[in-house]
Amino acid sequence: APSGLAVAYGTYTPFQPGDLTPSETFTVECTRGFATTPTVTWDTTNGLANGDGVLAGLRYSLAVTGAESSAGTAPVLATAGNIGTPRVVEFTIDGTMVGGQAGTDTSGAASHTRELTLTF
């Protein structure tokens, strides 16, 4: 499973008019034939299980979408060493931090860690 992914919102200026909308992609290899859409949940240490949270007084949301990029191939007995390939699903984490917020942090930098669970 991937680790250390960073959804970086960048610099937020208090009361800015536009939203910040970063994204990050990652791939997961799994058994051929598994369902395309897993159940997605986030930890609740720094936010809600639906991906919403607050960082430095700024509300944000995280959403995950996935799409199969390869269905995988079965092994071929006639070819020595051919063990087949896994199903590959590419996921995108989309973040949104809406404009017009005041925030509370004056240090210029803030971060926290969220844990994503994909259940197939």
Side-chain angles (χ1 to χ4, degrees):
S3 63
L5 297 172
V7 178
Y9 285 95
T11 302
Y12 189 96
T13 303
F15 306 109
Q16 71 181 41
D19 300 348
L20 297 179
T21 56
S23 66
E24 179 74 32
T25 61
F26 63 96
T27 58
V28 174
E29 294 181 349
C30 55
T31 303
R32 294 178 303 279
F34 269 31
T36 301
T37 307
T39 301
V40 176
T41 55
W42 294 90
D43 72 308
T44 55
T45 301
N46 287 309
L48 303 175
N50 68 359
D52 291 347
V54 176
L55 175 64
L58 301 167
R59 289 185 54 99
Y60 68 86
S61 63
L62 297 168
V64 179
T65 56
E68 183 174 86
S69 59
S70 170
T73 59
V76 179
L77 289 176
T79 307
N82 183 320
I83 60 171
T85 60
R87 178 173 176 254
V88 178
V89 181
E90 182 174 284
F91 291 93
T92 301
I93 303 172
D94 292 308
T96 301
M97 186 178 284
V98 297
Q101 300 183 70
T104 58
D105 189 5
T106 58
S107 70
S111 66
H112 63 225
T113 301
R114 298 293 305 268
E115 185 174 308
L116 170 66
T117 302
L118 302 172
T119 305
F120 289 86

